[in-house]
Amino acid sequence: MFGSYLTQWDLLVIVFYFVFQFSLGFIFKAFSKDASDYFRGGGSMLWWLVGASAFMTQFSAWTFTGAAGKAYVDGTLVMAIFFGNALGYFCNYLYTSYRYRRMRVVTAIEGVRDRFGPVNEQVFTWLQVPMSVVYAGIWLNGLGIVASSFFNVDPSFTVLIVGVVVVLMSVMGGSWAIVASDFMQTLLLMSITLVACFLALSHPAVDGLSGLLTKLPEGHLRPWDAEDATFVYFWIFAAFVIQSFKLNNMFDAYRYLCVKDDKQARKASLMASILMFLGPFIWFIPPMAARIIQPDLALVFPELGDKAYEGAFVFIGLELMPLGMVGLLLCALFAATISSMDTGLNRNAGIIVKNFYQPVFRKNASPEHLLLAGKVISALFGALIIVAALGMQSIKEYDLFDIMILFGALITIPYAMPLVWGIFIKGAPRWSAWSSVLVGIGFSIFAKYILDPAWFGYENLSTREAKDFLYIWSGVGNIVVCSLWFFFTVWVAKRMKTAIPQQVEDLFDRLARPVDSTSEGGAESDGMQAKVLGMLCLVYGGFISLLGIIIPNPMAGRMCFFFCGFLIMAIGGLLYRAYLVKKRALL
C-alpha cells in the first residue's frame, strides 16, 4: 500500500512545507493595518505577485486528479480548458483588468453595488458565497483523493486534516500572506511538474517526446478522430468560450483590486495568461505517459475503483521520482489546492464583512473590529468547505472532472454574464443583473432536465457523450440566452427612457480615469515586497537544494532536487537584487 512510499525524508519535506506556510502569516502580519490591507493588500501589490496569484487560483489538486485523469483517458482534449483560461486572462489584459482596478473598491461586490445597486449587492453576495464553498469543496475533495493514495487512509480523514490546516493558515494571514504564498507555490509547482515531465519522458517505455507521440492510443493527440468524438469540436469551442467569459466578469475583479495601478493590473493578467498557456504542455505529459507505462491503473490504485485513472499523475511520482521527492510532489499538490482555498476564504470573508456585516449591522465599526470579524468569518467558511468536500464523496454519478466543468456551465455562467456586460454597457438598468441570473438558472434547469439530444438527431449517446452534450448546451446556451436577455433589458430601459443613476455615472467616471497609486494614498512598498519575497525564495530554494546533498540518491536524483532548488533561488536572487537597486535609487 502506498503509505510505504513516504519515507522519513518525505515527511521532513512535508513538515518543513507546512512550517514555512504558517510562518508567512506571522511575517506578513505587520502588512495588514486595516480591512483594505487584510482583504486586498491596500491596493499596493506589484504585478508579479498578483499575476502568480491569479494563475494559482485557477487550478487546484483537481488539475492533477480529475483533469489529469481526463488526459490519461482522452489525451490532449482537456488542455482546451486551460487554453480557455489563457484566452480569458489575455482578454483581461486587453479589456478588463485595468477597468477592474479603476473601480477603486475593497471588494468586487462593492463594484457590483456601484453598478447595479444595493439589492444586487445582496443578491450576488448570497449567490457567490455558496458557489465558492462548492468549488472549494470540489478542490479539497480532489486533494483528499490524492493524499489518501499516499497515506493509505480514508479520504474523509485527509479532507478533515488538510482542511483544518488550510483554515488556520488563512485566518492567521491576510491577503498579503495569501498572495505571497501563491507566488512561492507557483515556483514550487512549476519546478516540480517540470521534473515530473522530464522523468516521465525519460522512462524506457515512453522513450522521449517522439516516443510519447507515437505510442499514445489513437485519438489522444487528435481527439476528434476518436470513435466517441461526436461533440469534440463543439466541446473545444465551448471550453474556450465558457472559460473566457468566466474570467472576465466583475466579480473576478478581486484579482486586480490588489495591484498598485491599472498598468500593473495589465502586466499581472498578461503574466497569468502566459503561464496558463505554457502550463498544460508540462502538466499533462506525465498522465499521458502513465497511459503508456501502466495502461491499467486499477492494478495500482484498487482503492479508487473505476476512477483509478484519477491517480495518473500520482503514479508518475510514485514510480519515477527519487527518494524524498514524493514528499515535494505532495507539497506541490497541497499548494495547488491551498492557493485556491485560502484566496477564496479571504475573498468571501471580505465580501461578508464589507457588503453585509458592516452595512447592515455595524456601519461605524472600527478597523480593528472589521479585521477580527474577517478572521472569524474566514474560519466559518473553512468549516463549510470541509463539509462540502465530505459531501462530494457521496456523488457517484460524475467524476471530479465532470463535477467541475458542469458546475461552471450550469451555475457560474448565469452568475457571470450580467457582470461581464455591466462593466461596458452603462445603459443597462439595475434589474438587468438579477433578472439575467434568473433567466440563466431557468435555462440551466431546462438543459439539465428537459433538453433531449434526440431533438437534434442524437440517439443512444454514450455516458461521456451525454455529459459533453450537457456541458456544451448549458454553457454556450447560457452565454447566448443570458446575453440576449441582458441586451433586451437595455432596449427596454432605453424605450422607457430610464435615467442612469448618479452612482453609475460616478463608477463609469472612475473607469475612465487611470489610477495614480501615489496621489491616491497608496503605500510605497515595492522594495519591501521584493526584499521579503526574495529572502523567502532563497530560504525555500536553499532547503530544497540541501535535500539534494543530504538525501542518499544517485546523481540523477540529486540533480532533480538541485534543479528545483536552484530555480527558486535564482528567482529569489533576482528579486533581492531588485530590492537593492530600489534602495540605492532612494539614497
Side-chain angles (χ1 to χ4, degrees):
M1 303 302 286
F2 295 111
S4 61
Y5 279 85
L6 284 177
T7 66
Q8 69 271 23
W9 299 111
D10 297 309
L11 295 177
L12 172 64
V13 170
I14 294 169
V15 169
F16 182 85
Y17 170 79
F18 281 113
V19 171
F20 185 84
Q21 291 298 313
F22 274 117
S23 72
L24 295 179
F26 294 102
I27 292 171
F28 287 94
K29 185 177 181 181
F31 281 65
S32 296
K33 298 179 177 63
D34 56 27
S36 178
D37 289 335
Y38 190 76
F39 295 126
R40 65 157 192 148
S44 300
M45 294 183 181
L46 294 173
W47 63 271
W48 44 270
L49 268 175
V50 176
S53 182
F55 167 71
M56 283 297 294
T57 54
Q58 272 309 295
F59 64 98
S60 65
W62 170 84
T63 303
F64 303 103
T65 54
K70 187 75 170 177
Y72 179 88
V73 174
D74 295 323
T76 56
L77 180 63
V78 68
M79 296 171 70
I81 291 285
F82 297 88
F83 291 150
N85 287 337
L87 177 61
Y89 279 127
F90 191 68
C91 291
N92 280 180
Y93 167 73
L94 294 175
Y95 305 114
T96 58
S97 60
Y98 65 95
R99 286 186 169 92
Y100 294 153
R101 180 59 184 93
R102 291 177 183 180
M103 290 195 300
R104 297 168 169 87
V105 293
V106 174
T107 71
I109 297 297
E110 288 182 291
V112 174
R113 179 190 62 207
D114 291 345
R115 177 61 188 85
F116 292 112
V119 172
N120 281 294
E121 176 186 20
Q122 297 305 315
V123 168
F124 282 85
T125 292
W126 296 108
L127 283 174
Q128 173 57 38
V129 167
M131 282 199 301
S132 295
V133 169
V134 172
Y135 260 124
I138 294 172
W139 299 327
L140 185 55
N141 182 40
L143 180 60
I145 291 173
V146 175
S148 66
S149 299
F150 280 99
F151 290 111
N152 190 26
V153 296
D154 188 271
S156 298
F157 178 76
T158 305
V159 165
L160 287 171
I161 295 300
V162 176
V164 169
V165 170
V166 171
V167 171
L168 292 176
M169 293 171 59
S170 303
V171 171
M172 280 197 306
S175 60
W176 279 107
I178 289 168
V179 173
S181 172
D182 289 347
F183 179 79
M184 294 297 303
Q185 293 179 131
T186 297
L187 300 180
L188 172 63
L189 185 122
M190 293 301 285
S191 61
I192 193 66
T193 51
L194 278 169
V195 169
C197 180
F198 174 79
L199 293 175
L201 291 175
S202 301
H203 193 279
V206 179
D207 193 24
L209 183 60
S210 59
L212 178 77
L213 299 179
T214 56
K215 296 178 182 180
L216 282 171
E218 182 180 356
H220 264 55
L221 299 178
R222 296 171 57 87
W224 45 86
D225 290 341
E227 292 183 5
D228 56 348
T230 304
F231 304 111
V232 167
Y233 287 109
F234 296 113
W235 196 96
I236 294 173
F237 171 76
F240 271 74
V241 173
I242 291 169
Q243 296 304 111
S244 297
F245 274 96
K246 282 172 62 178
L247 289 176
N248 282 275
N249 69 86
M250 288 177 67
F251 178 76
D252 281 86
Y254 76 86
R255 294 186 176 91
Y256 306 110
L257 299 178
C258 301
V259 292
K260 289 183 62 176
D261 53 42
D262 34 308
K263 291 181 180 179
Q264 295 265 323
R266 296 191 72 190
K267 288 182 180 180
S269 56
L270 183 60
M271 174 183 175
S273 178
I274 293 172
L275 289 175
M276 193 59 72
F277 176 77
L278 296 176
F281 292 105
I282 302 169
W283 306 327
F284 297 120
I285 284 178
M288 288 192 291
R291 181 64 181 265
I292 299 172
I293 300 170
Q294 177 51 266
D296 187 4
L297 283 178
L299 299 176
V300 183
F301 299 103
E303 68 276 12
L304 296 182
D306 59 357
K307 297 179 183 177
Y309 51 83
E310 291 183 349
F313 201 101
V314 177
F315 168 76
I316 292 296
L318 296 175
E319 183 78 7
L320 304 179
M321 284 188 167
L323 184 66
M325 189 157 274
V326 171
L328 199 60
L329 173 62
L330 186 56
C331 290
L333 301 184
F334 284 146
T337 294
I338 289 171
S339 63
S340 299
M341 285 186 61
D342 57 17
T343 299
L345 290 174
N346 182 265
R347 181 188 64 222
N348 285 339
I351 290 171
I352 294 299
V353 169
K354 296 293 292 182
N355 300 107
F356 178 69
Y357 179 73
Q358 185 180 16
V360 175
F361 297 107
R362 298 292 295 269
K363 293 183 179 180
N364 299 315
S366 67
E368 294 78 12
H369 180 86
L370 293 179
L371 280 175
L372 177 61
K375 293 179 180 181
V376 171
I377 292 172
S378 292
L380 175 61
F381 278 124
L384 291 176
I385 289 170
I386 293 172
V387 172
L390 295 173
M392 293 292 170
Q393 296 176 10
S394 64
I395 300 177
K396 304 299 183 183
E397 180 181 358
Y398 297 106
D399 60 21
L400 288 174
F401 182 82
D402 294 317
I403 293 172
M404 195 72 170
I405 65 169
L406 289 179
F407 185 82
L410 291 166
I411 306 297
T412 307
I413 289 298
Y415 179 95
M417 292 314 300
L419 303 186
V420 171
W421 300 121
I423 202 72
F424 296 104
I425 303 174
K426 187 192 296 186
R430 288 178 167 178
W431 58 273
S432 64
W434 61 261
S435 63
S436 294
V437 174
L438 287 179
V439 168
I441 292 176
F443 183 82
S444 292
I445 295 172
F446 167 79
K448 179 71 171 72
Y449 296 105
I450 300 175
L451 187 64
D452 189 345
W455 298 351
F456 304 91
Y458 297 116
E459 303 281 353
N460 302 318
L461 294 180
S462 67
T463 300
R464 170 189 163 171
E465 289 171 338
K467 293 173 184 176
D468 289 348
F469 181 87
L470 176 60
Y471 172 66
I472 294 165
W473 271 96
S474 60
V476 178
N478 258 315
I479 290 172
V480 173
V481 169
C482 292
S483 296
L484 289 175
W485 176 261
F486 189 89
F487 296 142
F488 172 72
T489 67
V490 175
W491 178 80
V492 170
K494 186 175 182 180
R495 291 293 301 269
M496 296 180 65
K497 298 181 178 180
T498 303
I500 297 176
Q502 185 59 45
Q503 194 175 26
V504 176
E505 294 283 8
D506 292 342
L507 172 63
F508 276 81
D509 286 343
R510 299 201 303 271
L511 295 178
R513 190 172 72 252
V515 174
D516 186 329
S517 178
T518 302
S519 65
E520 295 181 24
E524 175 57 50
S525 60
D526 295 12
M528 185 58 67
Q529 293 177 53
K531 175 185 177 181
V532 174
L533 267 299
M535 293 178 66
L536 289 172
C537 288
L538 290 172
V539 169
Y540 200 83
F543 171 75
I544 295 175
S545 300
L546 180 62
L547 294 176
I549 298 174
I550 64 176
I551 298 179
N553 278 310
M555 182 52 66
R558 294 178 188 272
M559 293 303 297
C560 291
F561 281 99
F562 291 151
F563 171 80
C564 294
F566 290 167
L567 178 61
I568 296 174
M569 290 178 69
I571 300 295
L574 291 173
L575 290 176
Y576 198 80
R577 181 178 180 276
Y579 156 69
L580 294 176
V581 171
K582 184 77 173 178
K583 183 179 179 180
R584 292 192 199 102
L586 295 175
L587 293 177

